[in-house]
Amino acid sequence: QVQLVQSGAEVKKPGSSVKVSCKASGGSASNFAIDWVRQAPGQGLRWMGRIIPMFGTTNYGQKFQGRLTITADDSTSTAFMELSSLRPEDTATYYCVYTTESTGLFTDDAFDIWGQGTMVTVSS
Amino acid sequence: QSVLTQPPSVSGAPGQRVTISCTGSSSNIGAGYHVHWYQQLPGTAPKLLIYVNNDRPSGVPDRFSVSKSGTSASLAITGLQAEDEADYYCQSYDTSLSGSIFGGGTKLTVL
């Protein structure tokens, strides 16, 4: 069973960037996908974007276009989420999510396995 | 404002049956995309609860079931237990947004 371990909490200034990592261990499928989902304090879940590491292809949510970059390093089984031009409203817990048998970038896959979450606080 | 609409809260007594609705539109649920459900216990990450056509990950009891009709889906929980108290989210795909979408979440209180 795949397990996801994310990097630790971050405190950032408005206008800066944050990069969160997500390391998968315990095996992997060849066509898996990694998504990023965030949750502001006391709020619901919002999907941010997806990467299929085997191809390096990405799909970003409209709300994050231009500010979000998702990458993956196959050699270390690690995915990264970088969000730039941070604002206080970006304060949230960021989750990486693993889909074992992805059907593509633009699909209705279920999110099988969730990381523990990384709290990002944006404050001056 | 979430693309999928869920009631903010539902409640029920132990042993009872509750349902949580998830209402979408013709660009997501109504377009035939699957609806999946997640459970988030207090202070923890969400976990996949039930997906596609009543498929459940290992360990999820069959007290949880789903149905879908038109532009809506529902999660039913029978034999309510105290440990079911959590937030529940529906998730699907929206062709207009070209991405995954979540409902706003429903807080289940076991009385």
Side-chain angles (χ1 to χ4, degrees), chain B residues 31-74:
Chain B
Y33 290 106
H34 294 308
V35 180
H36 316 295
W37 292 85
Y38 301 85
Q39 179 191 61
Q40 185 175 31
L41 297 170
T44 69
K47 75 166 190 176
L48 180 62
L49 182 69
I50 196 163
Y51 59 104
V52 189
N53 300 314
N54 273 308
D55 294 322
R56 286 177 291 276
S58 173
V60 175
D62 59 7
R63 299 187 295 106
F64 295 88
S65 64
V66 297
S67 61
K68 183 180 155 189
S69 178
T71 58
S72 295
S74 288

Side-chain angles (χ1 to χ4, degrees), chain A residues 1-71:
Chain A
Q1 172 79 332
V2 171
Q3 291 190 323
L4 303 175
V5 177
Q6 298 182 224
S7 50
E10 303 261 13
V11 179
K12 294 293 183 180
K13 300 285 189 190
S16 67
S17 298
V18 67
K19 191 169 185 176
V20 179
S21 68
C22 170
K23 183 172 176 60
S25 62
S28 68
S30 60
N31 60 335
F32 71 95
I34 294 283
D35 292 73
W36 288 87
V37 174
R38 80 177 188 184
Q39 185 172 37
Q43 303 298 309
L45 304 172
R46 180 181 284 273
W47 177 79
M48 299 178 70
R50 158 170 280 203
I51 186 167
I52 298 181
M54 183 167 68
F55 302 115
T57 48
T58 56
N59 177 24
Y60 298 137
Q62 292 179 2
K63 180 178 170 67
F64 303 100
Q65 293 272 2
R67 287 206 300 144
L68 176 64
T69 303
I70 299 174
T71 55

Side-chain angles (χ1 to χ4, degrees), chain B residues 5-111:
Chain B
T5 301
Q6 298 180 232
S9 63
V10 297
S11 62
Q16 283 190 331
R17 177 181 186 270
V18 296
T19 61
I20 299 172
S21 61
C22 174
T23 303
S25 68
S26 59
S27 62
N28 41 70
I29 300 175
Y33 290 106
H34 294 308
V35 180
H36 316 295
W37 292 85
Y38 301 85
Q39 179 191 61
Q40 185 175 31
L41 297 170
T44 69
K47 75 166 190 176
L48 180 62
L49 182 69
I50 196 163
Y51 59 104
V52 189
N53 300 314
N54 273 308
D55 294 322
R56 286 177 291 276
S58 173
V60 175
D62 59 7
R63 299 187 295 106
F64 295 88
S65 64
V66 297
S67 61
K68 183 180 155 189
S69 178
T71 58
S72 295
S74 288
L75 171 70
I77 310 171
T78 58
L80 207 54
Q81 300 181 5
E83 67 210 45
D84 298 332
E85 192 161 283
D87 294 325
Y88 293 84
Y89 294 90
C90 59
Q91 176 240 328
S92 186
Y93 179 86
D94 190 279
T95 189
S96 297
L97 298 173
S98 298
S100 288
I101 51 174
F102 284 96
T106 299
K107 181 174 182 59
L108 169 63
T109 300
V110 180
L111 302 170

